[in-house]
């Protein structure tokens, strides 16, 4: 790994594919918890970033379920996602997917909260988490496929009732 031919210049010019925020944040946890504090090993400190983002995902899913259905559903949803074998495994060795899914989930939740509470701070969090998700992996481009059908199903009846009221007022 310390080959002179594999320098930073080589990787900056030839490495492609996914954006690099995951790698930078994993390096940051390594820098803090291994190089500075010496509380974790070298590999474990890189993996800490994966565990932290997976925890964010579990917390967001649990809070979302709690706000919509209550405590029992929240516990089941949190345990289901945390103990799902693929998610559990990926959160321990995959740098890209759990982190991206955590911020994707946070985007959907905070957008939903911004609509529910009519609060610009939640919308700002949705925008911020969308940007973080985009800087980790390109999958966030599928967000409109989730948001637009929700908005249509949620607000189309309200718009239709408003048009009917306007039409009935005009006809009187």
């Amino acid at each position: 790994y310390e080959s002179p031919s594999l320098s930073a210049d080589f990787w900056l010019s030839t490495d492609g594919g996914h954006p690099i925020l995951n790698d930078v944040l994993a390096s940051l946890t390594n820098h803090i918890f291994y190089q500075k504090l010496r509380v974790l090993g070298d590999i474990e400190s890189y993996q800490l970033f994966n565990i932290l983002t997976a925890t964010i995902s579990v917390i967001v899913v649990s809070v979302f379920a709690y706000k919509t259905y209550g405590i029992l559903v929240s516990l089941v949803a949190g345990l289901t996602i945390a103990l799902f074998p693929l998610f559990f495994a990926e959160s321990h060795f995959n740098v890209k997917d759990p982190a991206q899914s955590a911020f994707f989930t946070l985007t959907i939740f905070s957008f939903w909260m911004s609509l529910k509470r009519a609060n610009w701070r939640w919308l700002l969090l949705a925008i911020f988490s969308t940007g973080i998700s985009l800087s980790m992996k390109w999958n966030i481009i599928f967000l409109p496929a989730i948001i637009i059908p929700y908005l249509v199903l949620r607000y189309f009846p309200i718009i239709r009732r408003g048009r009917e009221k306007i039409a009935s007022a005009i006809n009187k």
Side-chain angles (χ1 to χ4, degrees):
Y1 74 93
E2 292 182 352
S3 171
S5 64
L6 299 177
S7 66
D9 291 330
F10 169 80
W11 291 112
L12 287 172
S13 65
T14 60
D15 191 28
H18 297 298
I20 63 166
L21 185 62
N22 296 61
D23 303 328
V24 170
L25 294 175
S27 297
L28 179 65
T29 58
N30 176 275
H31 182 76
I32 293 170
F33 293 99
Y34 172 67
Q35 295 176 22
K36 295 295 181 189
L37 298 177
R38 299 273 185 205
V39 294
L40 291 175
D42 190 20
I43 303 300
E44 293 82 8
S45 61
Y46 279 112
Q47 292 175 335
L48 180 63
F49 171 69
N50 300 343
I51 303 295
L52 290 174
T53 55
T55 303
I56 290 171
S57 211
V58 171
I59 289 171
V60 169
V61 166
S62 297
V63 170
F64 200 177
Y66 176 74
K67 291 199 172 287
T68 53
Y69 298 108
I71 188 73
L72 180 62
V73 174
S74 174
L75 290 171
V76 171
L79 287 173
T80 300
I81 192 171
L83 298 176
F84 187 69
L86 181 62
F87 182 80
F88 185 81
E90 294 256 334
S91 68
H92 286 80
F93 68 82
N94 188 338
V95 179
K96 301 288 181 198
D97 294 330
Q100 197 271 337
S101 69
F103 289 102
F104 198 111
T105 306
L106 183 62
T107 297
I108 292 171
F109 174 71
S110 54
F111 182 75
W112 178 74
M113 286 296 292
S114 73
L115 293 174
K116 187 175 179 178
R117 295 205 176 157
N119 189 332
W120 65 270
R121 290 182 182 123
W122 283 106
L123 185 59
L124 192 62
L125 179 60
I127 293 167
F128 181 72
S129 58
T130 300
I132 290 175
S133 184
L134 184 61
S135 65
M136 292 183 172
K137 205 171 173 185
W138 304 111
N139 292 0
I140 196 72
I141 65 169
F142 297 107
L143 184 67
I146 297 169
I147 298 288
I148 291 172
Y150 169 75
L151 292 174
V152 168
L153 291 173
R154 174 72 175 94
Y155 292 106
F156 184 71
I158 295 171
I159 294 168
R160 185 185 310 167
R161 279 187 297 221
R163 286 184 183 166
E164 290 171 359
K165 286 181 182 178
I166 292 172
S168 68
I170 291 172
N171 292 333
K172 287 184 181 180

